[in-house]
Amino acid sequence: MGSDTCVNAPCVHDWKMGWPLRSGGFAQLCIKCGFMEEWKHGILDPLSVYDMSVFCNKFHRQKTGWVECKFCNKPIHCGCIISRSLFEYLDFDGIGCVSCVASQLRMTRNTENPNGSISSTKNNASDRHSTHTDGTLFVDNSDEGKLMQLCRIVEASESSLWNNARRDSVMSCSGQNNQEVKCSLEEGDTGFSNVIKPLVQSLAFSKLENNRSTREIKNIHEPTAQPSLNMYLGNPSGNNTILPSSSSGEILEARLEGKAFPPFNQGQRSRPIWPKPLKTGISMNLEPDKGALSHARIARPPADGRGKSQLLPRYWPRITDQELERLSGDLKSTVVPLFEKVLSASDAGRIGRLVLPKACAEAYFPPISNSEGLSLRVQDVKGNEWTFQFRFWPNNNSRMYVLEGVTPCIQAMQLCAGDTVTFSRIDPGGKLVMGFRKASNSIDTQDASTSAHSNGISTKGTTNSGGTENLPPGSSFADLLQMIKGNGEPHLNGHLEHLHLGAGAAGLLKAENCEKTNNHSPQQPIPVSEKRTRNIGPKSKRFCIDKEDAMELRLTWEEAQDLLRPPPSVQPSIVTIEDQVIEEYEEPPVFGKRTIFCACPSGGKEQWAQCDDCSKWRRLPVEILLPPKWTCFENVWDASRCSCSMPEEKSSRQFENLLKPSKDFKKRKTLANGKSIKEREPCGLDALASAAVLGENLMDPAESSAGATTKHPRHRPGCSCIVCIQPPSGKGRHKPTCTCNVCMTVKRRFKTLMLRKKKRQSEREADAAAKEDNNHQRDGSNANGASKDDTSHLEKERGLKDQPEAGESSAGRIDLNSHPNREDIQMDITGLSMSINNLEITNHQAREEYMNMNGLKNSDVQASQHSSLLTQSNGEG
DNA sequence: ATGTTGCATGTTAGA
DNA sequence: CTAACATGCAACATA
């Protein structure tokens, strides 16, 4: 994983650390430069890329486990309490990175300074961030006070030279309100590890930034009606410092329209920034850099679109330096990244329609007034031109924009769901170019060749040359897990980052690399008139991450907590903050050995671990955390079993039972791994509700819906839907008052269900009434003409109309996950829930009769009662 | 029988 | 709560 050399200049990130975040997603850390980034939903979250350097580089553990620190540019696992409480000290409605906070002070000073070249005001909360570019923010005095407090807190726990140095720098930043922020660390400092360097860079701003031209500063700090896209390209020379910008042209600017963007963009990162003479846009005149630049840029989309709505960060184009390099063939072209989109199953599927984010479509594509839309020529990686139909459908009161006819292109690019397509514009000319980026774990398991292809492509400039930049979460997490499993170096070969832009437009790219790997690439743009698209695969085989790696993604934060161990042979110091006792370590946590906890006959708990040498299981004290490698010889807790030659304490059968939970887990994985749908059909909402609320095991626990289902294509690993969030065993009695996620979801969905039913019913009634009216009118006009035929026809019509309704219900439209075997019951229950309600309350005997009449088992009625109760509790009774 | 189209609908993230 | 968007699905078209 990663490169072995941490170049001084652009760090080829070596993502050695990774951990899931409480908030979802996961974070990873480059052990070389300390850069950390966070991913959510498979997308690098620009809002959560922290400069985490300054305040502490310790690692904290609390009872709750390791968590990410919002402040430290390290593999920080600050205790969540400390993290949270400290965070509040810097919480400007978001994450306040250190360099920004320090900058704030400077900016405050500058703002206060009437002679300063920067004058800016902030009118609202968002503006407080909105001027944040390259690490500058405003902060008000109260915030500053918090910062001071924070610094004091941190100071108390700082001890090392490094920390002191950093603290000093911080304190000098924070403590001198009316002085220029000066950082004591310079680039040349050698006493610190590489990890520190980004920090140095991030701190080495004071003088440099003040050297910036007034215009630039103005650009940066002007109230953000026009926030800027600032993309600095890597300096091939590898200078690791922030160079003073002397020209306004050094900043690539793409002005944004309208609203202020969230404050933390790439400029906030602690990564090195190398200004490079640029023209407007991303200049193409870079020399290819042999030392791979691998820093991802989150390019804010340009604001020259018409769209007024702010693009969600997930559509912000992610550009790496390498990618920019790859674009660097044409000296005259300027690439303006517009947006990107992770392909959904539908997008990559057979339909050949790519749903465009509305805001992006409206912002960057030509305006269309009729739903027919227009043909859009887009150039692909090889310069091939594709013609898509850009159109929209009315959707509610809005529009839904799609690109039609994308299948050939998608196929040519060998994309599948989970991959990312990027749209950029080449200026001048405004030509649209479409790039792509393969998600390493976007393994279309239906198409091994695709997968192999994706893994096999070794394109020029691919960061895999050792760099693992932008490691997508899946891959990284799999890597992490591999580490945990002790598989040695995690593989990364599936990790590809492509952003190919049209070679034809500029001769930019050496597309032959792509060609080599794309042996059967059709590459023949299909005119949009021939809309028929080839199928990517059968509908039943839509995107479904069922590879083991993907399943591993389901490892929860809590599960991961179990694996994190304090660094071996490092004694923590104890810090008490806000009455929270926190262990503080100088070293990051390590991934520990997986152990098994179980209840011992005496009622307590016991922990079991397996020897790495002899694979025998040894009992451990519950509180013990083992290092990743552990053998019997290290069993200091049981002298009688401190050698591999000693027999196991329990019989193999006992261990089988002991291991059952983990087997269940594997079983779930297996179930999710391509067994027939029927075998693991999830139960329906009703069954789920019953299972959740009653704790009834309505189906084989092994087939419970804990694993990802495929009946509903949206259920994928990581899916948080009600089916997928069910506890593994499907057991566990929930009280009617339970407010757990499952119960709440059940309740909410029941509410929705009932509302819908109500709505339908009222619509039916309205419809019937309208027809009645018509009928009466007709009757009136026909004088005596009301014939029986008419009536019967009407009745028939009404009957027919009602039929599909019933059919619709019974067809299980309400919940596609309904278990066929459960649907009868479900519909009975649904249909009779009201009566059951009454029965329950008023007439027990009638209820019995009802049960007998309907042949319902008691549990079913109980389930229905619960359903009804739930409905009732939601005011739907 | 299979593919395409146009829209409907369910889900969910963000306001 | 709502807009956005992912997906379902029926009607229609085509092989």
Side-chain angles (χ1 to χ4, degrees):
Chain A
M1 176 186 212
S3 149
D4 290 335
T5 56
C6 180
V7 287
N8 286 331
C11 178
V12 179
H13 289 310
D14 193 353
W15 303 116
K16 283 293 188 191
M17 295 287 294
W19 59 94
L21 302 177
R22 184 186 283 276
S23 56
F26 98 121
Q28 58 186 1
L29 173 105
C30 169
I31 58 164
K32 292 175 182 172
C33 68
F35 178 71
M36 176 185 160
E37 62 185 23
E38 178 180 335
W39 294 78
K40 279 180 183 168
H41 311 299
I43 299 162
L44 183 63
D45 183 352
L47 299 184
S48 307
V49 178
Y50 314 132
D51 183 349
M52 291 187 157
S53 304
V54 175
F55 289 112
C56 73
N57 65 341
K58 303 265 177 72
F59 309 91
H60 297 92
R61 184 164 69 95
Q62 243 202 338
K63 282 180 183 170
T64 46
W66 305 89
V67 288
E68 74 277 18
C69 175
K70 304 291 183 187
F71 304 112
C72 308
N73 190 18
K74 297 273 287 182
I76 289 300
H77 299 264
C78 277
C80 59
I81 302 297
I82 188 175
S83 175
R84 200 150 288 167
S85 61
L86 290 185
F87 179 71
E88 286 170 9
Y89 291 113
L90 280 177
D91 187 1
F92 316 104
D93 301 328
I95 291 101
C97 79
V98 167
S99 61
C100 296
V101 171
S103 303
Q104 291 167 22
L105 299 173
R106 183 173 57 84
M107 290 305 301
T108 306
R109 191 199 62 76
N110 284 339
T111 312
E112 286 167 1
N113 179 4
N115 298 324
S117 58
I118 306 159
S119 98
S120 177
T121 56
K122 52 181 190 288
N123 300 323
N124 53 43
S126 65
D127 278 347
R128 292 164 80 182
H129 305 276
S130 57
T131 54
H132 184 289
T133 311
D134 70 355
T136 48
L137 266 186
F138 288 104
V139 60
D140 60 32
N141 288 335
S142 62
D143 289 331
E144 197 178 329
K146 289 176 178 179
L147 173 64
M148 294 292 293
Q149 204 170 342
L150 166 66
C151 290
R152 279 195 293 276
I153 291 169
V154 174
E155 187 183 24
S157 62
E158 296 280 349
S159 58
S160 68
L161 172 65
W162 160 233
N163 291 328
N164 283 328
R166 290 202 298 180
R167 183 196 60 217
D168 288 343
S169 74
V170 173
M171 294 308 289
S172 74
C173 296
S174 58
Q176 300 171 17
N177 194 25
N178 291 320
Q179 290 180 18
E180 186 62 82
V181 174
K182 288 186 180 173
C183 300
S184 58
L185 302 175
E186 297 296 336
E187 168 64 15
D189 281 353
T190 54
F192 308 118
S193 69
N194 284 332
V195 173
I196 294 162
K197 284 189 175 171
L199 161 70
V200 176
Q201 290 144 12
S202 68
L203 287 178
F205 57 82
S206 59
K207 188 176 176 184
L208 301 175
E209 286 201 354
N210 285 328
N211 284 344
R212 288 189 174 187
S213 69
T214 304
R215 182 187 175 279
E216 182 182 338
I217 294 172
K218 227 178 156 183
N219 283 342
I220 294 169
H221 300 296
E222 245 166 15
T224 55
Q226 301 282 354
S228 295
L229 162 66
N230 292 337
M231 295 188 67
Y232 298 84
L233 298 189
N235 184 350
S237 69
N239 192 336
N240 207 19
T241 58
I242 297 176
L243 300 176
S245 307
S246 56
S247 155
S248 61
E250 290 179 10
I251 295 181
L252 174 149
E253 261 186 50
R255 298 192 310 167
L256 293 171
E257 177 179 327
K259 299 178 188 172
F261 271 77
F264 300 97
N265 60 0
Q266 81 283 4
Q268 174 130 353
R269 298 166 164 211
S270 60
R271 58 183 57 179
I273 299 172
W274 301 278
K276 172 80 186 174
L278 293 175
K279 300 173 299 184
T280 308
I282 300 173
S283 173
M284 296 280 102
N285 57 354
L286 286 180
E287 289 175 4
D289 183 15
K290 308 299 183 290
L293 298 179
S294 55
H295 304 285
R297 311 292 187 196
I298 307 281
R300 282 176 177 173
D304 51 347
R306 304 167 311 284
K308 296 215 170 98
S309 47
Q310 172 184 332
L311 296 194
L312 295 174
R314 66 168 175 266
Y315 301 127
W316 292 8
R318 221 155 33 85
I319 306 287
T320 68
D321 294 344
Q322 286 228 331
E323 289 161 352
L324 291 176
E325 270 181 66
R326 259 178 273 144
L327 307 181
S328 65
D330 186 345
L331 302 183
K332 297 187 175 74
S333 298
T334 295
V335 174
V336 181
L338 300 176
F339 66 93
E340 66 177 37
K341 194 199 174 200
V342 177
L343 293 180
S344 70
S346 313
D347 294 334
R350 62 197 299 176
I351 304 178
R353 297 190 294 211
L354 171 63
V355 176
L356 292 169
K358 189 180 172 218
C360 302
E362 290 182 343
Y364 306 121
F365 286 176
I368 46 177
S369 53
N370 61 351
S371 63
E372 282 299 303
L374 51 81
S375 294
L376 210 59
R377 286 172 167 247
V378 180
Q379 200 165 276
D380 76 355
V381 298
K382 294 185 180 177
N384 291 327
E385 262 197 5
W386 302 88
T387 307
F388 304 136
Q389 188 73 15
F390 171 54
R391 57 179 310 192
F392 70 86
W393 309 315
N395 194 272
N396 297 327
N397 291 323
S398 181
R399 288 177 169 190
M400 187 168 180
Y401 290 91
V402 288
L403 277 186
E404 289 185 339
V406 298
T407 300
C409 179
I410 298 253
Q411 281 189 307
M413 293 175 174
Q414 304 262 318
L415 299 179
C416 56
D419 296 339
T420 304
V421 290
T422 61
F423 288 90
S424 307
R425 194 181 59 217
I426 291 189
D427 285 333
K431 183 183 274 289
L432 280 171
V433 287
M434 191 175 170
F436 67 91
R437 197 167 53 236
K438 299 285 287 183
S440 70
N441 63 338
S442 66
I443 299 161
D444 189 346
T445 53
Q446 300 92 45
D447 187 352
S449 66
T450 302
S451 165
H453 170 73
S454 99
N455 287 336
I457 295 175
S458 174
T459 47
K460 165 196 173 240
T462 303
T463 56
N464 268 357
S465 55
T468 58
E469 51 100 20
N470 294 338
L471 201 57
S475 164
S476 294
F477 212 74
D479 296 336
L480 162 67
L481 284 152
Q482 286 215 354
M483 289 167 67
I484 292 167
K485 289 172 190 165
N487 284 353
E489 282 296 310
H491 67 85
L492 280 173
N493 60 346
H495 170 224
L496 287 178
E497 294 282 346
H498 297 247
L499 178 80
H500 298 300
L501 290 181
L508 305 178
L509 303 172
K510 312 289 185 282
E512 60 272 15
N513 289 305
C514 190
E515 230 152 21
K516 279 173 196 164
T517 59
N518 193 10
N519 297 327
H520 53 287
S521 149
Q523 288 304 331
Q524 289 305 318
I526 295 177
V528 82
S529 54
E530 300 170 24
K531 272 187 180 171
R532 182 168 296 276
T533 54
R534 285 162 48 191
N535 302 319
I536 282 180
K539 200 173 186 175
S540 60
K541 291 187 176 180
R542 283 188 180 165
F543 175 59
C544 173
I545 304 175
D546 53 4
K547 297 286 281 189
E548 191 172 325
D549 282 355
M551 285 304 300
E552 300 281 24
L553 279 169
R554 303 197 63 173
L555 190 74
T556 64
W557 181 84
E558 285 78 10
E559 285 172 309
Q561 289 290 326
D562 291 341
L563 303 174
L564 290 170
R565 302 283 184 266
S569 65
V570 173
Q571 287 303 313
S573 50
I574 306 298
V575 184
T576 306
I577 293 175
E578 293 181 355
D579 298 328
Q580 300 287 337
V581 178
I582 293 152
E583 294 174 13
E584 187 176 78
Y585 295 85
E586 297 286 343
E587 297 290 327
V590 297
F591 293 108
K593 188 173 184 60
R594 194 159 206 168
T595 56
I596 290 171
F597 290 87
C598 63
C600 58
S602 59
K605 266 191 160 187
E606 56 190 24
Q607 183 180 194
W608 294 84
Q610 197 170 20
C611 171
D612 283 327
D613 284 347
C614 66
S615 299
K616 286 180 181 142
W617 288 91
R618 305 297 186 195
R619 187 205 301 265
L620 306 171
V622 178
E623 68 279 2
I624 293 304
L625 298 169
L626 291 185
K629 294 273 179 190
W630 184 83
T631 60
C632 295
F633 296 102
E634 296 165 84
N635 186 8
V636 295
W637 304 279
D638 185 356
S640 64
R641 289 185 178 79
C642 62
S643 159
C644 292
S645 57
M646 314 282 190
E648 278 183 320
E649 198 173 335
K650 287 190 174 183
S651 69
S652 53
R653 172 158 294 192
Q654 283 174 305
F655 276 112
E656 265 181 30
N657 292 332
L658 199 66
L659 293 170
K660 212 181 172 193
S662 42
K663 280 186 179 172
D664 282 346
F665 179 70
K666 279 181 188 166
K667 196 170 184 181
R668 284 184 354 237
K669 288 205 313 192
T670 312
L671 280 170
N673 276 349
K675 293 289 173 196
S676 74
I677 292 169
K678 278 181 186 173
E679 282 174 18
R680 54 198 158 106
E681 202 124 46
C683 49
L685 182 60
D686 179 68
L688 180 60
S690 306
V693 177
L694 290 172
E696 293 290 332
N697 205 7
L698 292 169
M699 40 198 300
D700 182 349
E703 294 180 5
S704 76
S705 52
T709 71
T710 56
K711 180 168 186 180
H712 192 310
R714 287 173 192 162
H715 294 171
R716 296 168 193 154
C719 173
S720 58
C721 79
I722 187 164
V723 176
C724 300
I725 62 178
Q726 246 215 314
S729 67
K731 289 187 176 179
R733 210 175 185 89
H734 294 228
K735 290 178 183 174
T737 53
C738 175
T739 55
C740 78
N741 205 5
V742 174
C743 292
M744 293 309 289
T745 311
V746 168
K747 288 173 188 175
R748 183 163 45 79
R749 294 200 179 170
F750 260 107
K751 192 176 174 182
T752 316
L753 176 74
M754 295 311 293
L755 278 174
R756 214 175 302 139
K757 279 179 76 79
K758 241 182 184 176
K759 193 179 165 190
R760 275 204 208 116
Q761 194 165 352
S762 58
E763 278 171 2
R764 264 206 310 269
E765 283 167 0
D767 200 27
K771 281 192 176 148
E772 199 89 12
D773 281 352
N774 287 341
N775 204 16
H776 283 315
Q777 282 173 7
R778 228 184 299 162
D779 287 351
S781 64
N782 289 344
N784 306 323
S787 72
K788 275 186 181 175
D789 284 344
D790 283 342
T791 317
S792 62
H793 172 73
L794 271 174
E795 278 171 3
K796 207 185 286 175
E797 197 175 84
R798 210 171 303 159
L800 283 173
K801 192 169 169 43
D802 283 348
Q803 244 176 352
E805 284 291 331
E808 182 178 291
S809 296
S810 59
R813 271 201 173 188
I814 292 159
D815 188 335
L816 291 173
N817 296 312
S818 298
H819 193 293
N821 297 336
R822 294 280 316 156
E823 276 175 0
D824 297 339
I825 296 169
Q826 180 182 349
M827 292 323 299
D828 281 349
I829 290 165
T830 312
L832 292 163
S833 60
M834 311 293 179
S835 53
I836 291 176
N837 257 347
N838 296 332
L839 285 169
E840 208 242 339
I841 296 164
T842 59
N843 193 337
H844 185 75
Q845 192 185 352
R847 174 181 131 179
E848 296 285 340
E849 284 171 12
Y850 169 79
M851 284 169 57
N852 291 334
M853 200 170 66
N854 288 279
L856 288 177
K857 285 181 286 185
N858 198 37
S859 62
D860 293 328
V861 175
Q862 274 182 359
S864 72
Q865 281 175 313
H866 267 278
S867 306
S868 305
L869 282 172
L870 287 173
T871 314
Q872 240 183 357
S873 71
N874 285 289
E876 296 295 331

